[in-house]
Amino acid sequence: MEQSREQRREAAVNSQLEGSGRSERVDVAIIGAGPSGAVAAALLRKRGRSVLVLERQHFPRFSIGESLLPQSMEYLEEAGMLQAVVEAGFQYKNGAQFVWRDQATAYDFRDKHSPGWGTTFQVERAKFDELLIQCAAKQGAEVRFGHTVLAMHPGDAPVLEVIDENETRYEVHARYVLDASGFGRVLPRLLNLEAPTGLPTRAAIFSHVRDGLALDDFDRNKICVATHPVHRDVWFWMIPLAGGRSSVGCVAEAAFFDLPEAEREARLRTLIREEPTLNRLIGDAPFLMPVRQIGGYSANVERLHGAGYALLGNAGEFLDPVFSSGVTIALRSAHMAAKVVDRVLNGETVDWHAEYDVPLRKGIDTFRAFVERWYTGELQDIIYYPRQTPLIRRMISSVLAGYAWDESNPYVAEPVRRLNTLHEACLRM
């Protein structure tokens, strides 16, 4: 019988490996040990699958995205990680405060439309990410740090070409591959999967400060999102962390931060002092690390799956940091993909587009509608509207808490139409 193309390719790979002597097989190979990779690994181990996690860096390592959303807690709990997270001593979080000039409003995520968790944590990601992958390893996932994926051969029997820090090359034959590489976007880069995002190119400059916040200064249990008093499309975050630290940063279109690296610290300091609330709280607070900059982080792909692989979290799509949706989308994708992969490995016929891509993007598109209207100012008009209806306020709070897949919420079922109608109503009243 004539061999298929995939069978011929696998035979060629096996022939090459006979010379190198290094061939490994695993049920699921996961690229990246961040939150989505760790949760996917733990969930697949609970289903009895062999899992290999390949991570280019060594942990702990710094990462941005320190304010979680309550929806994330459900996935951490199912992955067997909740107790470790609760006991780690992270800063408790129950909501978000928004400020602009002399206006301020706070959303308590416990007062929301959707059932489920209403509280979460604000975390130093180096500690948080290391904790999650340690939990996955304790559940039997094999984790290799300092191992870089050089190439991916998709198909019914996908193969990864890997190199370690000793420049030893080997290949991993997996029954399925999950890309959880975050901003590294390994498979989109290797397989030319990138697609336009439709969002402007934005950047952020940020650092940590010793905040010295007194109890009556600011509610440490909430993230602060502040709009620049002059430039309404420029905004700040202040995320209180455990131990008297806060993460602070400013986001704007990339050209706004077109300056030499040596001037970043002075630029961030000046911007903080221009915003009245942040100036009062942390205007002169010393930076605890060099001011960093990231840009061009918004990303998209044509589809979130292919022959023998699926993309998780930021490896597939990242919108914007304004509503802290990144980790929630990452964990949601890990939760969904683990279930579908398990069915694939059981020999079931699976429609990845209908069962993963479409439902995952539903929540992403909800966040997208909110993000787009934040930058036009429409969502800010809604948030700062002085006579908010409690029912609608709880619906908005649910989305801000991460429940962007709960279609019992009209602002999830029809986010664009509902937000547009609500904004028009706010302007008329």
Side-chain angles (χ1 to χ4, degrees):
M1 182 181 298
E2 184 177 354
Q3 290 182 317
S4 68
R5 183 177 64 179
E6 289 300 325
Q7 288 173 325
R8 291 195 299 272
R9 183 183 60 76
E10 185 170 359
V13 168
N14 288 336
S15 175
Q16 293 172 2
L17 288 172
E18 287 177 2
S20 68
R22 185 80 184 268
S23 173
E24 303 185 24
R25 296 185 182 275
V26 68
D27 287 335
V28 183
I30 299 177
I31 306 170
S36 63
V39 166
L43 293 174
L44 287 163
R45 285 298 303 141
K46 285 179 176 292
R47 291 167 169 80
R49 305 302 180 181
S50 59
V51 178
L52 172 62
V53 181
L54 300 165
E55 169 58 52
R56 178 177 59 86
Q57 296 181 295
H58 286 271
F59 284 22
R61 53 90 177 96
F62 179 84
S63 182
I64 200 67
E66 297 141 315
S67 192
L68 307 183
L69 300 182
Q71 169 79 96
S72 300
M73 304 300 283
E74 174 186 338
Y75 310 126
L76 296 175
E77 184 173 27
E78 187 171 338
M81 299 173 174
L82 183 60
Q83 182 175 350
V85 171
V86 170
E87 293 177 351
F90 295 120
Q91 170 64 48
Y92 175 79
K93 175 185 175 181
N94 62 21
Q97 179 170 346
F98 296 88
V99 297
W100 179 47
R101 296 178 180 172
D102 60 348
Q103 300 183 65
T105 186
Y107 283 81
D108 188 325
F109 293 157
R110 296 166 295 185
D111 184 19
K112 59 182 177 14
H113 166 84
S114 303
W117 286 83
T119 62
T120 185
F121 297 98
Q122 298 180 151
V123 302
E124 292 179 88
R125 284 288 301 278
K127 179 180 178 181
F128 178 74
D129 291 10
E130 184 176 33
L131 181 66
L132 297 195
I133 198 61
Q134 287 176 347
C135 287
K138 288 177 182 177
Q139 295 183 53
E142 182 179 354
V143 184
R144 297 177 186 168
F145 295 101
H147 288 240
T148 300
V149 174
L150 299 175
M152 158 75 168
H153 304 284
D156 294 336
V159 177
L160 296 176
E161 297 181 18
V162 186
I163 188 170
D164 66 17
E165 291 177 320
N166 296 319
E167 298 190 354
T168 300
R169 295 173 179 252
Y170 61 98
E171 291 184 340
V172 176
H173 295 244
R175 298 174 67 189
Y176 216 87
V177 173
L178 296 177
D179 185 354
S181 59
F183 292 122
R185 299 176 61 77
V186 171
L187 293 191
R189 176 171 45 82
L190 293 177
L191 301 179
N192 297 316
L193 305 175
E194 302 283 5
T197 69
L199 295 172
T201 300
R202 297 190 176 94
I205 55 175
F206 55 92
S207 185
H208 283 185
V209 298
R210 180 70 62 193
D211 57 54
L213 297 175
L215 291 177
D216 57 353
D217 283 339
F218 183 79
D219 184 355
R220 296 192 69 90
N221 298 329
K222 292 179 174 62
I223 182 177
C224 178
V225 177
T227 304
H228 191 279
V230 177
H231 308 288
R232 210 171 179 192
D233 61 341
V234 177
W235 64 274
F236 305 82
W237 76 74
M238 186 183 73
I239 304 172
L241 302 169
R245 299 168 68 101
S246 280
S247 171
V248 60
C250 182
V251 177
E253 291 202 20
F256 195 74
F257 299 124
D258 187 13
L259 71 166
E261 182 176 349
E263 298 178 19
R264 284 180 192 162
E265 181 171 329
R267 177 66 158 155
L268 181 56
R269 180 68 67 193
T270 298
L271 286 164
I272 290 172
R273 287 173 175 160
E274 289 174 353
E275 201 294 306
T277 298
L278 294 187
N279 184 44
R280 175 174 60 84
L281 295 174
I282 57 170
D284 296 316
F287 293 128
L288 300 178
M289 65 182 192
V291 174
R292 305 185 187 208
Q293 178 170 342
I294 57 172
Y297 39 71
S298 296
N300 192 20
V301 289
E302 291 292 345
R303 59 180 185 169
L304 298 171
H305 62 94
Y309 68 87
L311 310 177
L312 308 184
N314 297 349
E317 183 162 2
F318 182 77
L319 297 172
D320 190 271
V322 64
F323 299 121
S324 306
S325 61
V327 173
T328 296
I329 293 172
L331 298 191
R332 176 82 179 196
S333 68
H335 177 264
M336 294 175 63
K339 289 184 176 181
V340 181
V341 168
D342 188 58
R343 291 177 51 211
V344 170
L345 300 186
N346 281 334
E348 297 181 36
T349 300
V350 168
D351 184 341
W352 273 93
H353 181 71
E355 298 179 47
Y356 178 69
D357 198 312
V358 171
L360 181 60
R361 286 188 192 269
K362 175 60 183 175
I364 294 173
D365 288 342
T366 298
F367 282 125
R368 183 190 298 277
F370 276 64
V371 167
E372 290 174 344
R373 282 151 187 79
W374 171 266
Y375 284 103
T376 62
E378 295 169 79
L379 187 62
Q380 296 180 46
D381 291 339
I382 292 170
I383 287 174
Y384 294 119
Y385 184 69
R387 299 185 298 278
Q388 299 180 18
T389 303
L391 177 62
I392 293 178
R393 185 177 175 83
R394 285 193 290 271
M395 293 174 180
I396 299 295
S397 182
S398 284
V399 175
L400 298 179
Y403 292 90
W405 292 268
D406 176 14
E407 295 193 56
S408 73
N409 184 345
Y411 291 87
V412 173
E414 298 179 293
V416 172
R417 187 177 74 83
R418 290 283 183 170
L419 286 173
N420 289 348
T421 301
L422 181 58
H423 181 248
E424 291 171 3
C426 290
L427 294 181
R428 288 197 305 267
M429 295 181 184

